[in-house]
Amino acid sequence: MSCCADFRAQVSPGRTLPPDVEASVRHHNGGDSLTLHVPDITCAACIGRIEDAIAASGANVRARVNFTRKTVTLHWNTQADPSHAIRVMRDLGYAPQPLAISQEKDEAGRELVRCLAVAGFAAMNVMLLSVAVWAGADGVTAEFLNWFAALIALPALAYAARPFIRSALGALRHGRLNMDVPISLAIVLAAALSIARVFGGEGETYFDAAITLTFFLLGGRVLDHMTRERARASVRQLATMAPATAHVAAPDGGTTPIALSAIQPGMVLEVAAGERVPVDGTLTKPASFDLSLATGESRPVHIGAGEEVLAGALALSGPLRMTATRCAGDSFLATLADLQRAAEEARSRPARIADKAARVYAPVVHLLALLTAIGWVIAGESVGEAVAIAIAVLIITCPCALGLAVPAVQVAASDRLFRRGLMLKDGGALERIKDVDEAVFDKTGTLTIPALDPSVPIDPRTLAAAAALARHASHPVAKAVVHAAAAQSLPLPRVSDVVEERGRGVHGQLDGQAIFLGAAVDGEGLVFQGADGSSTALPVTETVRKGAPELIAALKARGLPITILSGDRAEAVRTVAARLGVDDWRASVSAGQKLSHLEARRAAGAKVLMVGDGLNDGPALAAAHASIAPADASDLSRTAADIVMTGESLLEALEAIDTGRKAHRLILQNFAVAAGYNAVAIPLSMAGYATPLLASLAMSTSSIVVTVNALRLTPRPRREQAAAPITAKPVHP
């Protein structure tokens, strides 16, 4: 029995999820989720059909269809029963499978290629025979050529048309229509009418139209499959970056293998040179890494002792030891994969319009074909000729181009952004970011990267105590303190009762005494208050983040007003604003004031792009028309932002805007192609001016055109920028 059959049997009414599926359930604070592979998802109409049916079933389960990956993700709370939603899908004619089955081999792609090869071979030979008939062959010669064409076309159609016919029969068995129904009906009718005319010894046959239609449709399906497979490869690449096992360091200096899922924060792991880092953690000594697949950075990156290394990084030196800070499921690598899947699942307004149109298109196609056949019979045409014209209508009105118009572009756009180090969290973000007409930036951690001034000596014990507090804080200046301590390989003492106060600093207990790290009372820099009550100033300098000057210049050249909103003091903000050429800047701005500014600009009709990274930027990022956060931003900012940048260069934000605008243009072009094609082709086919062969060529060409048009979003080579230093000035968190 197949895996799929076993799975169907185990989710019978009254039963819980089978063990292998239960193991794939992901648990979240807000409930649980499960992703299933559904190979029967064949067209855009399937999306709404599945999601609407599950929503209306009363199972309290929310479904999200990923057309690209052919998966359905179910979300539910602890009181809901996901097995009921699975039965709803089965009743609709969709056979869900455990996701692991779909990850082994791309059998669907291989089948399409095999069918394409058979259809192509048959189409060439049948077309040669048809040309001879068109050239004037008649009598016995024409009859022989038609029989020969039948002997080639019929077996080829029986094999090559299987993907369409199988999908159509599955839909009809459950009382629904999809795009493959009119296609299959046209192929079957063309072949049947041709066979009848071969046996009757008279009339034109349409073997060439049937096999050519199948060939071009398969060509479009293969091209579409390759486009989607390219996007799916992005997530698979992320999966390959995580090793199957890790090695826990033993006290005697040896190591013990451990499953990735068993890693817990605090474990000391050993990574050999040439291996991937299994989970996020901190290094015990400096090492070099290749981060190209995760962040797009092509050059080796040096990470110091005590600094964080992210899951998926390739160790270029070793062996090295690290302390795990997150579980595998919460690692940076897992987060990137989740973001990429979310981008594929999300749908913009044009996509929703196309889904609704495709849902009602198939019934309209069949109605038009039926009315056309009846009309021609009433007009005095023979039944055979009326059926031939109806076949042409069925072929030419197939909504394949409409169904591909939006998904093909969104898949290509998501893949393009991923390869440029930009992770879409919401498909609607791609639509919104194209419209931004203003930009607001946070300063510290976004436009600038802070660091402790190496020219000013700091007592190692003081620095170690400050870093012990700072490692529990999310502010960029706190990270600078940790990096400074790591650069000196200072062991950090254990602190307790640590609390971070947004906008002020972080305090805790060291050996039972209170310590504090944060803004000085006079606002002039960073200060550490030790257990003995002494205060030590920690001088901080800033470096402009790579790509920031180029991004600001490019946005200004496009006419976008730029504003810097920072919680830092005026002198520090003024220095950075002058360096970047920004006239509109505001200092000592609280989180509430940032939010008020965004809401006021929105009320004024502005569509603001917000770029920020700190805890105090979260509300503003959520309120902006579109928002971007760096990968090293706080958890709140990454959660609130629409797009997360995994690379170092801020200039990639411009890539997001450009990709959004280009994707919108391509979607409109694809809609124009689909609408223009139907406006011209449907009347011509109903009037009898399009033969089934011409109809198959026209319809297939329109589908291929929209897919190829989407491929214009192919990623371009990356741009490189260097970080630009600014005048060293003390700043505070």
Side-chain angles (χ1 to χ4, degrees):
M1 184 178 289
S2 69
C3 295
C4 183
D6 290 339
F7 178 69
R8 290 197 298 268
Q10 293 182 68
V11 292
S12 57
R15 300 284 299 274
T16 58
L17 294 173
D20 59 333
V21 178
E22 185 68 42
S24 301
V25 174
R26 300 191 62 180
H27 304 285
H28 314 280
N29 292 334
D32 300 330
S33 66
L34 171 65
T35 299
L36 300 167
H37 176 53
V38 185
D40 304 304
I41 295 175
T42 57
C43 65
C46 299
I47 298 173
R49 185 174 293 114
I50 293 174
E51 293 180 353
D52 293 346
I54 292 178
S57 67
N60 294 321
V61 176
R62 181 170 59 88
R64 193 66 165 176
V65 176
N66 187 322
F67 185 33
T68 299
R69 302 176 66 232
K70 295 185 182 299
T71 61
V72 176
T73 300
L74 304 176
H75 302 271
W76 69 92
N77 56 34
T78 54
Q79 285 74 37
D81 181 12
S83 62
H84 180 66
I86 295 173
R87 291 194 295 272
V88 170
M89 282 191 284
R90 241 183 28 242
D91 293 341
L92 288 174
Y94 300 95
Q97 303 175 7
L99 188 59
I101 296 176
S102 67
Q103 295 176 335
E104 295 175 357
K105 293 181 180 179
D106 181 22
E107 287 298 336
R110 295 183 180 184
E111 182 187 27
L112 286 174
V113 171
R114 289 193 295 266
C115 292
L116 177 66
V118 170
F121 175 81
M124 287 187 294
N125 286 277
V126 172
M127 191 61 68
L128 288 174
L129 298 174
S130 298
V131 168
V133 175
W134 299 339
D138 55 9
V140 177
T141 302
E143 185 176 354
F144 171 78
L145 293 175
N146 286 333
W147 274 105
F148 199 7
L151 290 175
I152 297 174
L154 293 177
L157 285 172
Y159 181 85
R162 288 181 306 160
F164 309 113
I165 295 176
R166 185 169 57 236
S167 172
L169 291 176
L172 292 174
R173 272 198 304 267
H174 293 85
R176 58 183 176 86
L177 298 173
N178 62 12
M179 293 185 187
D180 290 332
V181 173
I183 291 173
S184 302
L185 184 58
I187 292 172
V188 171
L189 286 177
L193 182 60
S194 299
I195 293 172
R197 289 185 171 179
V198 166
F199 276 101
E202 60 180 11
E204 182 182 359
T205 62
Y206 302 110
F207 294 119
D208 52 359
I211 194 63
T212 302
L213 169 64
T214 304
F215 172 70
F216 278 105
L217 280 174
L218 286 168
R221 289 283 173 93
V222 168
L223 187 59
D224 177 61
H225 184 84
M226 291 172 60
T227 303
R228 298 180 187 280
E229 190 66 20
R230 178 183 174 89
R232 285 192 291 265
S234 300
V235 177
R236 285 200 299 270
Q237 280 181 316
L238 292 174
T240 61
M241 295 175 66
T245 59
H247 296 85
V248 178
D252 60 1
T255 61
T256 303
I258 185 175
L260 205 63
S261 59
I263 297 176
Q264 296 296 324
M267 286 185 174
V268 178
L269 309 175
E270 184 171 293
V271 181
E275 290 184 351
R276 297 278 182 185
V277 174
V279 296
D280 300 349
T282 55
L283 295 178
T284 58
K285 64 179 181 180
S288 296
F289 296 88
D290 178 359
L291 308 178
S292 57
L293 196 54
T295 66
E297 177 59 55
S298 58
R299 294 170 296 184
V301 177
H302 182 79
I303 300 178
E307 294 186 321
E308 185 178 41
V309 60
L310 301 176
L314 178 65
L316 300 179
S317 58
L320 58 91
R321 292 201 172 188
M322 55 174 286
T323 302
T325 56
R326 294 187 183 92
C327 298
D330 298 326
S331 70
F332 175 74
L333 195 60
T335 301
L336 289 186
D338 288 342
L339 290 176
Q340 182 68 2
R341 294 188 186 102
E344 294 173 2
E345 291 173 6
R347 290 187 294 280
S348 61
R349 185 167 54 89
R352 293 191 293 271
I353 294 173
D355 290 348
K356 292 179 180 179
R359 206 177 304 175
V360 300
Y361 210 97
V364 172
V365 166
H366 292 87
L367 181 61
L368 283 176
L370 178 61
L371 292 176
T372 299
I374 294 173
W376 278 102
V377 170
I378 294 175
E381 194 64 70
S382 67
V383 174
E385 290 301 323
V387 170
I389 296 173
I391 292 172
V393 173
L394 278 174
I395 295 172
I396 214 163
T397 55
C398 178
C400 293
L402 178 63
L404 293 172
V406 180
V409 174
Q410 289 191 325
V411 167
S414 177
D415 180 59
R416 175 192 179 100
L417 292 178
F418 171 80
R419 296 175 188 276
R420 296 302 300 268
L422 294 158
M423 305 300 298
L424 278 174
K425 291 176 57 183
D426 176 13
L430 195 65
E431 180 184 1
R432 293 193 301 272
I433 200 168
K434 68 177 176 58
D435 295 324
V436 296
D437 50 21
E438 290 187 17
V440 171
F441 291 87
D442 172 52
K443 181 184 73 69
T444 308
T446 302
L447 292 174
T448 64
I449 299 176
L452 292 190
D453 190 346
S455 65
V456 179
I458 303 174
D459 178 66
R461 294 182 60 185
T462 299
L463 180 58
L469 272 181
R471 69 188 300 180
H472 296 282
S474 59
H475 197 279
V477 174
K479 296 178 182 179
V481 176
V482 176
H483 292 169
Q488 300 182 31
S489 300
L490 298 177
L492 305 185
R494 183 180 298 275
V495 294
S496 60
D497 301 329
V498 179
V499 177
E500 181 179 7
E501 298 181 14
R502 186 168 63 183
R504 183 172 180 266
V506 57
H507 59 81
Q509 297 284 325
L510 175 61
D511 296 331
Q513 301 294 320
I515 57 176
F516 171 78
L517 174 69
V521 176
D522 58 4
E524 290 294 327
L526 191 67
V527 66
F528 172 73
Q529 295 178 356
D532 58 0
S534 62
S535 296
T536 303
L538 304 180
V540 180
T541 62
E542 289 185 307
T543 299
V544 171
R545 184 186 285 268
K546 183 168 69 173
E550 293 83 354
L551 174 62
I552 297 296
L555 294 177
K556 291 175 65 177
R558 298 182 182 196
L560 271 69
I562 309 296
T563 302
I564 297 177
L565 300 180
S566 175
D568 206 348
R569 58 192 178 81
E571 183 181 351
V573 181
R574 182 187 298 111
T575 301
V576 174
R579 171 67 178 83
L580 297 175
V582 178
D583 298 326
D584 185 8
W585 57 269
R586 303 173 196 183
S588 302
V589 181
S590 67
Q593 290 171 328
K594 289 185 178 183
L595 177 60
S596 297
H597 176 84
L598 268 294
E599 291 177 339
R601 296 308 303 145
R602 182 174 58 189
K607 297 178 179 178
V608 181
L609 169 67
M610 174 69 191
V611 186
D613 76 306
L615 282 172
N616 61 338
D617 296 320
L621 289 167
H625 188 73
S627 54
I628 299 176
D632 55 1
S634 67
D635 290 341
L636 176 61
S637 293
R638 289 201 303 267
T639 300
D642 297 319
I643 300 173
V644 175
M645 298 188 306
T646 63
E648 296 181 359
S649 175
L650 202 61
L651 186 57
E652 299 304 351
L654 190 65
E655 181 69 26
I657 298 174
D658 289 344
T659 300
R661 291 178 176 178
K662 187 170 184 178
H664 181 68
R665 290 196 300 270
L666 294 182
I667 288 173
L668 293 180
Q669 291 170 10
N670 282 353
F671 274 148
V673 169
Y677 157 78
N678 283 292
V680 174
I682 292 176
L684 290 177
S685 61
M686 294 181 69
Y689 291 110
T691 65
L693 177 60
L694 290 177
S696 65
L697 292 173
M699 189 277 293
S700 302
T701 300
S702 68
S703 300
I704 293 174
V705 165
V706 297
T707 304
V708 171
N709 193 42
L711 293 178
R712 293 167 58 193
L713 281 169
T714 301
R716 299 172 300 181
R718 297 183 64 87
R719 293 165 288 204
E720 298 291 341
Q721 306 84 29
I726 62 174
T727 305
K729 293 289 184 182
V731 297
H732 64 78

